[in-house]
Amino acid sequence: MSATLVIREILKDTVSILGVELPKKVQIEPPREKKFGDIATNIAMLLASTLKDSPRNIAKKIKDLILERHSTHIEKIDIAGPGFINFFLSKSFWQSEVLKILNKGEDYGRSDLGMGKKVLVEYVSANPTGPLHVGHGRGAAVGDSLARILKFCGYEVTTEYYINDAGRQITLLGKSIYIRYKQLFGFEDEICDDCYKGEYIIDIANKIKQELGDALLKKEPNDAIQFCSQFGQDLILEQIKQDLKNFRVLHENWFSEKSLVAENFVDKTIELLKQKGLVYEKEGALWFSSSKFGDDKDRVLKKSSGDLTYFASDIAYHKDKLDRGFDLLIDIWGADHHGYIPRMKAAICALGRDKQDLQVILIQLVNLLRGGKQVSMSTRSGEFVTLEEVLNEVGPDAARFIFLSRKSDSHLDFDLELAKQRTMENPVYYVQYAHARICSVFAKAKERHIDISMKPNEVINYLTLDLEIDILKKLNEFQDIVLTCARILSPHMLTFYLMELAGMFHQYYNKCPVLGAEQKELIFARCYLLMAIRQVIAQGLYLLGVNAPERM
RNA sequence: GCGCCCGUAGCUCAGUAGGAUAGAGCAUUGGACUUCUAAUCCAACGGUCGGGGGUUCGAAUCCUCCCGGGCGCGCCA
């Protein structure tokens, strides 16, 4: 249990004696200043109005009660400023963290926050009309890491990729390929304005030519286009799957939009909304009363042409997700889709659920640089940097770590040159290096025939330096950080945490010899501390989907 | 015009249920390897948290107005 949770339990018990509950907004956290103790709380200030007493008086009462009843881990309690209660925990409490980490191993930091709640994380879901680019990579990194974190926090997580294989864009893909195909045979058809113009279209056309020769020229254009659509889409999807695999991103489900259409599920969903009185006809089209649920205006489900809108199939898709029994839907979208959130939430409400049951995480643009100079991207113009290229250049570890080093809804500068550099500007190496360095210490120990012949609980009380205690506190914090990441659905705090922990280790490494310590008990104690650090770094990196190398 | 996001050190950014003297890295300057990996460490320098008003014991954080930047406002996906 993290120190903050320990104190939380103690406070909960204590205020119950005063006849009140723990206030919802209570803060229990490590204060910025060391002199304010290990854990500080503002509880007395919050209870002042309820208990009709001054914060400092309340603080005094709480302090006395705690000292009477829970003195085990607590060395000292201070009351400071307007009524903060500052807890100083005993060294032995922090030292025992090593035991907890080593005993729990990979389960250290695991929690039951989610209580088995079923969550569907849907991410990437790029149209199979072109290769994945860097922006998709960012969404992939966030989605995959978030899924790992939520699983670790006791959610039952399923990951899914939604394939938009039924719409106009797919037809357009077929058309684009068909035109390129004809060009290969000397036809002078011009590529249309809204066509896909990337090189890969020509590659696909070439592939068709290789396999079928001129057979397609003899077909009706519409049939030929349909063939091209399917052929191109299959090929692109295969490439997308390969890219994601290389990025260590594995979706459990691949959900096809076409399957919804085939089962008439979209029409059935519209029918359901109609029964609820939320669908009406206007100007030859079918409208959904999304404005009844907070959207700016109503939205079209079926165009006057008779075609379904993308939104209609998206509602059906989300209904399908809910029907599959998920308690919480997490969608990861490009930030340019933010205007789409209110209508999707409206749909969730219309389906009888709370709007909180859909959480949308927006992924801002990746600003791709090469040596400080901007690289432009657009799938349409055909000039873009693919995820594949980035992975070939910088590798999955650096790419993932950089993608996860910012809040997902802020712009991210990604400099390909920097990502390859092995300096502090590229922090993935900093963290991985800490892990490798620890491994190297143990390799050296083996070389020198240093045998750790005492158990952790016999030596951990040798960890008495300020820096050692600080590291133990930092390790303890891991549990809180993981919980926060799960709560705010963002892995980036874990990335920062790992840099801090790695920094403390590097500092320690430079300052305190481990194998060269003067007593064998101290050598062993420091070895155990290093094992604990290594465990937490490895686990943290795992949650980010980054490797923890033993040698660098 | 309306809506959403953003504005913190020269640069890139943390600061996520409002807490005590606002933090990192880079850059700059100066130091540390015959010692467990120098892909490291130490020190110095650097801020009216875009601006004004408000809420309260307390605001980078919440409210409001203004300025500046990004994005979205389709019977597109």
Side-chain angles (χ1 to χ4, degrees):
Chain A
M1 210 192 295
S2 74
T4 55
L5 280 175
V6 170
I7 298 296
R8 176 178 282 270
E9 291 303 312
I10 291 175
L11 284 171
K12 202 168 163 185
D13 174 71
T14 307
V15 295
S16 73
I17 296 171
L18 297 174
V20 290
E21 289 193 351
L22 215 53
K24 274 221 162 66
K25 293 170 89 175
V26 70
Q27 283 181 1
I28 301 166
E29 59 190 14
R32 200 162 34 220
E33 295 269 339
K34 252 185 175 177
K35 65 177 177 190
F36 297 134
D38 298 318
I39 303 292
T41 179
N42 62 349
I43 189 168
M45 274 101 86
L46 296 177
L47 289 177
S49 61
T50 323
L51 294 175
K52 296 190 173 62
D53 200 350
S54 76
R56 286 193 71 105
N57 274 340
I58 295 167
K60 177 85 170 55
K61 276 184 198 162
I62 292 175
K63 173 183 170 178
D64 291 344
L65 279 168
I66 291 175
L67 290 178
E68 261 171 48
R69 299 162 56 87
H70 307 272
S71 49
T72 332
H73 305 308
I74 295 169
E75 193 178 274
K76 184 173 76 156
I77 299 176
D78 277 355
I79 296 168
F84 288 104
I85 306 175
N86 298 330
F87 296 87
F88 294 77
L89 302 184
S90 64
K91 270 192 175 159
S92 61
F93 174 82
W94 298 116
Q95 287 160 346
S96 68
E97 204 60 26
V98 172
L99 306 180
K100 289 177 196 155
I101 294 168
L102 297 180
N103 284 338
K104 289 191 181 170
E106 290 176 0
D107 286 333
Y108 181 72
R110 199 179 277 281
S111 69
D112 59 355
L113 176 78
M115 296 185 297
K117 212 169 162 183
K118 284 188 72 179
V119 185
L120 183 73
V121 183
E122 182 223 319
Y123 61 110
V124 188
S125 301
N127 288 355
T129 53
L132 297 179
H133 54 71
V134 218
H136 296 126
R138 189 178 185 188
V142 171
D144 182 72
S145 175
L146 195 57
R148 289 170 191 244
I149 290 169
L150 292 176
K151 275 178 197 169
F152 197 55
C153 290
Y155 289 87
E156 197 187 315
V157 182
T158 304
T159 55
E160 188 159 290
Y161 187 118
Y162 181 57
I163 310 167
N164 293 118
D165 51 8
R168 199 177 78 92
Q169 297 305 319
I170 290 296
T171 312
L172 213 49
L173 172 72
K175 194 175 164 192
S176 311
I177 296 170
Y178 184 57
I179 292 171
R180 290 300 192 195
Y181 173 82
K182 287 184 78 175
Q183 287 176 350
L184 291 176
F185 291 94
F187 289 86
E188 288 181 358
D189 298 41
E190 287 289 320
I191 197 92
C192 56
D193 271 353
D194 48 358
C195 277
Y196 293 96
K197 301 185 181 72
E199 280 289 311
Y200 65 95
I201 299 290
I202 299 171
D203 295 343
I204 296 169
N206 255 314
K207 194 146 191 182
I208 295 177
K209 187 185 171 189
Q210 273 172 31
E211 291 191 11
L212 298 180
D214 63 353
L216 233 46
L217 295 174
K218 295 164 192 153
K219 285 194 177 192
E220 284 294 311
N222 276 347
D223 292 345
I225 288 173
Q226 203 181 342
F227 176 86
C228 288
S229 289
Q230 193 61 48
F231 190 93
Q233 179 191 319
D234 290 348
L235 209 64
I236 290 169
L237 204 55
E238 200 179 303
Q239 185 58 48
I240 287 176
K241 287 185 180 180
Q242 188 58 46
D243 285 347
L244 289 174
K245 197 177 164 193
N246 293 341
F247 201 34
R248 297 190 209 114
V249 171
L250 295 171
H251 291 81
E252 285 152 17
N253 294 340
W254 292 76
F255 192 100
S256 156
E257 181 185 8
K258 220 184 264 173
S259 70
L260 288 174
V261 179
E263 290 164 33
N264 259 336
F265 195 67
V266 183
D267 286 322
K268 285 179 195 161
T269 304
I270 293 177
E271 193 53 40
L272 179 81
L273 294 174
K274 212 180 263 178
Q275 281 165 21
K276 294 188 180 206
L278 298 169
V279 176
Y280 61 91
E281 224 179 305
K282 194 178 86 180
E283 293 158 8
L286 271 188
W287 295 72
F288 166 51
S289 311
S290 53
S291 59
K292 283 187 183 162
F293 303 95
D295 195 10
D296 295 346
K297 53 180 179 183
D298 294 344
R299 308 288 172 178
V300 172
L301 297 175
K302 194 176 260 181
K303 306 179 216 172
S304 47
S305 65
D307 293 332
L308 293 165
T309 60
Y310 176 84
F311 181 46
S313 55
D314 224 1
I315 296 177
Y317 173 44
H318 282 76
K319 179 176 188 310
D320 183 87
K321 289 182 184 178
L322 294 173
D323 288 351
R324 278 184 273 158
F326 290 105
D327 303 302
L328 176 64
L329 308 181
I330 296 176
D331 286 10
I332 297 183
W333 298 349
D336 53 343
H337 288 67
H338 69 78
Y340 201 78
I341 296 175
R343 79 187 71 167
M344 205 60 239
K345 288 214 175 207
I348 296 293
C349 295
L351 293 169
R353 296 290 288 266
D354 192 284
K355 67 177 181 193
Q356 294 302 319
D357 293 348
L358 170 68
Q359 294 289 335
V360 179
I361 295 171
L362 296 177
I363 304 292
Q364 258 301 356
L365 291 177
V366 176
N367 190 23
L368 203 62
L369 309 167
R370 189 181 289 281
K373 199 172 147 251
Q374 188 142 3
V375 181
S376 68
M377 296 187 282
S378 152
T379 31
R380 284 307 178 80
S381 70
E383 186 192 355
F384 52 81
V385 176
T386 61
L387 177 61
E388 187 190 7
E389 288 171 287
V390 173
L391 290 183
N392 287 341
E393 204 167 330
V394 309
D397 284 339
R400 289 187 74 129
F401 202 89
I402 292 170
F403 284 142
L404 297 173
S405 66
R406 298 277 180 274
K407 279 182 294 201
S408 64
D409 62 354
S410 36
H411 287 267
L412 170 67
D413 283 346
F414 190 127
D415 194 309
L416 291 162
E417 294 304 319
L418 286 181
K420 281 191 290 187
Q421 277 175 31
R422 300 174 165 197
T423 67
M424 186 48 209
E425 245 180 303
N426 184 8
V428 65
Y429 290 110
Y430 187 76
V431 177
Q432 288 184 318
Y433 184 47
H435 186 269
R437 256 186 161 175
I438 293 173
C439 292
S440 143
V441 171
F442 290 118
K444 189 66 75 175
K446 202 173 172 188
E447 212 174 89
R448 293 186 192 170
H449 303 290
I450 294 172
D451 182 27
I452 304 176
S453 57
M454 296 173 82
K455 292 198 172 116
N457 59 5
E458 297 173 289
V459 292
I460 47 168
N461 57 331
Y462 281 79
L463 299 172
T464 55
L465 296 176
D466 281 353
L467 184 53
E468 286 167 335
I469 300 296
D470 287 347
I471 290 174
L472 290 164
K473 290 175 186 173
K474 197 74 192 171
L475 290 170
N476 178 283
E477 216 183 302
F478 177 68
Q479 306 163 94
D480 293 330
I481 294 290
V482 173
L483 284 172
T484 305
C485 288
R487 187 165 49 74
I488 68 177
L489 303 178
S490 174
H492 80 280
M493 294 189 76
L494 185 54
T495 323
F496 280 91
Y497 169 82
L498 288 175
M499 288 190 264
E500 285 166 14
L501 178 60
M504 292 178 90
F505 164 72
H506 286 309
Q507 196 185 329
Y508 184 56
Y509 180 92
N510 273 279
K511 202 169 154 187
C512 304
V514 175
L515 302 178
E518 51 276 14
Q519 301 156 272
K520 70 173 184 188
E521 287 87 350
L522 191 56
I523 293 176
F524 299 160
R526 288 181 174 175
C527 280
Y528 285 123
L529 177 60
L530 258 55
M531 285 179 203
I533 297 171
R534 181 175 62 179
Q535 172 64 48
V536 171
I537 289 180
Q539 189 60 37
L541 287 175
Y542 168 78
L543 292 175
L544 300 178
V546 175
N547 281 338
E550 297 193 2
R551 261 193 304 274
M552 287 174 74

